[in-house]
């Protein structure tokens, strides 16, 4: 097979694969035949369409989106700044590393419960998202800084380039691929933990709050519809950032 | 005049330089010729301030600025031809001056059509040309070169040496170059120091063909 035909095949194959799994889902739900355990894809789609006509649906998505965005942006900002500082300074790295490892190994549920004690319901998901994404981004940025080509730094030293331009011209571009990898990993993660935190903190408008209500009232089709919303949004973001990452690192290899 | 007096440099037990003395005259190209691994690069890095030495004195380097053409091109892979030269100018010049300098030197090395190309889109010879343009574009008092033409094929090397000399004639500055190639040293340099031994010593001083 010529390589040029592969992308074409892939384009045809992907919808077929998705269709196949939707078929499996439909088949299993037919077999079980109890909506409460496993609603069919069609029933889920209907629930989704019903939901999408309500203003509540869109404000909930918007609010959850805003929480993910804030938590995520703050963790990016903190991760990049602290990551660069810790990458450059051994002492700072040694000081911060145990903290990052501790956060990474803390169960998400513990973080959520602690956050529930500390914050108001709307802020809990933001804090949880930040705390879960931050160590991933921090670790990647530190690694990126440490991988900087020493020979380029030597060149900049001879030419007496100042710190700011070294940061902008050497450090930032060489850690960008690492940062992007960290962003993509933590973004999917960020969605999941934010929604999980919303389930427990139940802010007024939130996807997680609706998941919780759907569970309480045993509305499985709604539960599945809301879950697919999270999955689709998470996929969409990952795709978007992968495109951005591909553009940004185009020329570095 | 740059004068190195009684320089001593050792890596642990390995003494590279001991009681080493050498003079470099103004506006001349001096070649340091010697076998690979004899300590020539160390000497160059000491002059550039990239490596420390344990004792001795260096005169005539106060407030001097350096350009350095390394053995590898050392270009920023994520910056264009322009961006790479701009990188060493940004700290000291305003945008207008940078533009003027960029235009002048990119033209001098014949890369006008490649301004927006990235290093991975250029051949090895072109990349080294960018490194040469960067070295001249930077307002240095002393230009250091470490095997700058190594690993290029003969034709390319001759072409690059010619463009280097053409640039130097228009923009004369003191050059200290390190090489293990006697022909290269003869073609480019005014003075040639033949170095060897451990610790490093000057075996012979000769005049090059460049008059």
């Amino acid at each position: 097979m010529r390589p040029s035909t592969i992308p074409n095949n892939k384009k045809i194959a992907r919808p077929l694969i998705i269709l196949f799994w939707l078929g499996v889902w439909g088949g299993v739900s037919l077999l079980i035949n109890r909506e409460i355990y496993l609603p069919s894809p069609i029933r889920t789609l209907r629930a989704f369409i019903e939901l999408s006509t309500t203003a509540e649906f869109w404000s909930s998505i918007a609010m959850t989106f805003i929480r993910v965005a804030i938590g995520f942006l703050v963790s990016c900002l903190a991760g990049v700044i602290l990551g660069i500082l810790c990458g450059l300074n051994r002492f700072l790295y040694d000081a911060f590393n145990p903290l990052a490892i501790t956060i990474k190994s803390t169960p998400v549920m513990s973080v959520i419960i602690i956050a529930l004690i500390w914050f108001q319901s709307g802020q809990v998901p933001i804090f949880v998202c930040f705390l879960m994404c931050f160590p991933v981004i921090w670790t990647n940025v530190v690694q990126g800084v440490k991988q900087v080509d020493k020979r380029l730094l030597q060149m900049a030293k001879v030419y007496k380039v100042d710190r700011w331009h070294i940061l902008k011209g050497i450090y930032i571009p060489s850690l960008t691929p690492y940062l992007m990898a960290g962003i993509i990993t933590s973004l999917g993660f960020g969605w999941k933990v934010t929604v999980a935190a919303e389930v427990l903190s139940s802010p007024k408008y939130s996807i997680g709050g609706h998941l919780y209500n759907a569970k309480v009232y045993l509305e499985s089709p709604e539960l599945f519809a809301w879950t697919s919303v999270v999955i689709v949004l998470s996929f969409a973001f990952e795709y978007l950032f992968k495109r951005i990452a591909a553009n940004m690192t185009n020329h570095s290899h | 005049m740059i004068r190195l007096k009684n320089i001593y440099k050792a890596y642990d037990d390995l003494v590279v330089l001991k009681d080493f003395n050498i003079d470099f005259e103004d506006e001349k190209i001096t070649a340091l010729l010697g076998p690979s691994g004899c300590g020539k690069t160390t000497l160059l890095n000491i002059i550039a301030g990239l490596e420390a030495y344990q004792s001795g004195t260096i005169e005539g380097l106060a407030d001097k600025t350096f350009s350095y053409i390394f053995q590898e091109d050392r270009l920023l892979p994520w910056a264009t031809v322009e961006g790479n030269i701009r990188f060493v100018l940004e700290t000291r010049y305003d945008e207008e001056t940078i533009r003027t300098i960029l235009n002048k030197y990119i033209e001098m090395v014949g890369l006008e059509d490649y301004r927006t190309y990235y290093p991975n889109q250029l051949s090895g010879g072109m990349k080294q040309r960018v490194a040469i343009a960067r070295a001249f574009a930077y307002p240095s008092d002393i230009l250091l070169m470490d095997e700058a033409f190594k690993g290029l094929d003969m034709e390319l090397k001759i072409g690059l040496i010619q463009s280097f000399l053409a640039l130097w004639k228009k923009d004369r500055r003191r050059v200290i170059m390190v090489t293990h190639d006697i022909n290269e040293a003869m073609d480019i340099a005014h003075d040639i120091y033949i170095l060897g031994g451990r610790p490093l010593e000057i075996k012979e001083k000769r005049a090059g063909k460049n008059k």
Side-chain angles (χ1 to χ4, degrees):
Chain A
M1 193 196 296
R2 277 180 299 125
S4 62
T5 63
I6 293 172
N8 263 335
N9 284 344
K10 234 181 174 174
K11 264 185 190 151
I12 301 165
R14 200 174 286 160
L16 285 178
I17 291 169
I18 294 171
L19 226 59
F20 168 75
W21 286 112
L22 284 173
V24 171
W25 174 8
V28 174
S29 75
L30 267 178
L31 272 176
I32 296 173
N33 201 22
R34 290 284 298 277
E35 193 175 81
I36 200 164
Y37 291 134
L38 187 64
S40 69
I42 294 161
R43 182 67 191 85
T44 304
L45 185 68
R46 220 166 59 213
F48 176 82
I49 291 167
E50 274 167 31
L51 285 173
S52 68
T53 57
T54 62
E56 170 98 19
F57 176 80
W58 297 105
S59 5
S60 300
I61 290 179
M63 286 307 290
T64 297
F65 169 76
I66 289 169
R67 290 190 192 101
V68 174
I70 295 174
F72 183 68
L73 285 177
V74 174
S75 64
C76 278
L77 208 67
V80 169
I81 294 171
L82 285 170
I84 290 176
L85 290 175
C86 294
L88 293 175
N89 186 311
R90 180 83 218 171
F91 175 76
L92 273 180
Y93 175 79
D94 288 338
F96 259 90
N97 199 32
L99 187 65
I101 293 172
T102 309
I103 299 172
K104 270 189 196 169
S105 354
T106 308
V108 181
M109 275 306 149
S110 309
V111 175
I112 296 172
I113 292 165
I114 295 166
L116 278 170
I117 299 169
W118 289 352
F119 301 102
Q120 292 174 334
S121 67
Q123 298 160 352
V124 172
I126 299 174
F127 175 76
V128 174
C129 178
F130 159 72
L131 207 62
M132 291 290 111
C133 294
F134 167 73
V136 179
I137 293 183
W138 178 84
T139 309
N140 276 42
V141 171
V142 168
Q143 204 190 348
V145 171
K146 287 188 173 170
Q147 297 295 321
V148 164
D149 191 342
K150 302 288 178 294
R151 296 171 311 163
L152 291 180
L153 294 177
Q154 204 178 41
M155 180 275 290
K157 190 181 171 192
V158 173
Y159 287 107
K160 297 200 167 75
V161 178
D162 63 20
R163 277 177 180 206
W164 165 243
H165 285 101
I166 291 178
L167 185 71
K168 210 171 67 152
I170 298 180
Y171 281 103
I172 303 277
S174 46
L175 65 81
T176 301
Y178 292 87
L179 174 64
M180 280 299 163
I183 283 178
I184 287 163
T185 314
S186 62
L187 201 57
F189 200 53
W191 270 100
K192 279 186 276 190
V193 297
T194 304
V195 172
E198 285 177 346
V199 169
L200 288 189
S201 69
S202 283
K204 188 162 188 314
Y205 294 106
S206 65
I207 295 179
H210 285 284
L211 279 177
Y212 181 75
N213 288 335
K215 179 225 143 199
V216 169
Y217 301 112
L218 296 175
E219 294 164 340
S220 297
E222 279 75 16
L223 181 65
F224 272 65
W226 281 110
T227 305
S228 15
V229 168
V230 178
I231 294 170
V232 168
L233 285 174
S234 183
F235 265 132
F237 269 84
E238 203 180 310
Y239 178 75
L240 188 76
F241 271 85
K242 270 187 183 157
R243 289 292 295 271
I244 296 172
N247 274 332
M248 284 180 82
T249 53
N250 231 351
H251 299 285
S252 58
H253 43 79
Chain B
M1 177 122 112
I2 299 171
R3 169 166 287 171
L4 275 68
K5 274 205 303 221
N6 300 324
I7 299 295
Y8 179 86
K9 165 81 182 175
Y11 298 103
D12 298 324
D13 290 340
L14 181 71
V15 179
V16 182
L17 301 171
K18 191 183 176 190
D19 294 329
F20 188 83
N21 297 287
I22 197 166
D23 293 343
F24 299 102
E25 282 174 56
D26 296 343
E27 274 197 27
K28 269 195 171 180
I29 303 177
T30 308
L32 305 174
L33 185 71
S36 299
C38 72
K40 299 174 305 224
T41 302
T42 305
L43 187 59
L44 215 53
N45 285 344
I46 285 175
I47 296 169
L50 291 176
E51 276 187 60
Y53 49 99
Q54 281 93 351
S55 66
T57 53
I58 303 181
E59 289 167 17
L61 281 190
D63 309 320
K64 291 281 189 286
T65 51
F66 299 95
S67 291
Y68 203 135
I69 304 174
F70 298 89
Q71 214 175 101
E72 332 83 53
D73 54 65
R74 300 212 188 182
L75 299 177
L76 309 174
W78 43 79
T80 59
V81 168
E82 272 191 2
N84 265 287
I85 302 172
R86 175 184 291 275
F87 179 69
V88 301
L89 301 174
E90 275 171 332
T91 304
R92 27 182 84 223
Y93 295 119
D94 59 75
E95 183 56 31
E96 203 181 322
T97 319
I98 293 176
R99 290 243 138 251
T100 317
I101 299 175
L102 276 180
N103 290 338
K104 181 177 164 193
Y105 287 94
I106 289 178
E107 195 185 319
M108 276 170 124
V109 292
L111 289 173
E112 302 97 309
D113 296 338
Y114 300 93
R115 293 167 158 270
T116 56
Y117 281 51
Y118 288 87
N120 65 355
Q121 298 169 301
L122 301 173
S123 69
M126 286 160 107
K127 281 190 252 191
Q128 205 57 349
R129 233 173 254 267
V130 179
I132 293 171
R134 176 174 67 187
F136 276 97
Y138 185 77
S140 58
D141 304 304
I142 300 149
L143 171 56
L144 305 170
M145 293 163 69
D146 183 11
E147 304 272 14
F149 308 111
K150 195 182 180 181
L152 299 167
D153 66 58
M154 211 48 200
E155 210 175 318
L156 207 59
K157 191 169 173 173
I158 292 166
L160 266 181
I161 289 176
Q162 275 166 357
S163 34
F164 170 80
L165 284 174
L167 255 175
W168 185 82
K169 277 182 185 125
K170 282 185 208 157
D171 188 353
R172 282 169 194 258
R173 51 188 101 176
R174 188 199 328 256
V175 176
I176 303 172
M177 61 179 284
V178 151
T179 179
H180 67 280
D181 181 342
I182 177 91
N183 293 322
E184 191 181 306
M186 291 297 285
D187 285 345
I188 301 177
H190 302 103
D191 296 330
I192 302 169
Y193 287 103
I194 299 168
L195 306 175
R198 173 139 294 157
L200 197 67
E201 52 184 23
I202 300 170
K203 302 278 187 196
E204 198 185 328
K205 186 182 176 186
R206 269 213 228 171
K209 282 192 234 163
N210 191 347
K211 289 279 176 321

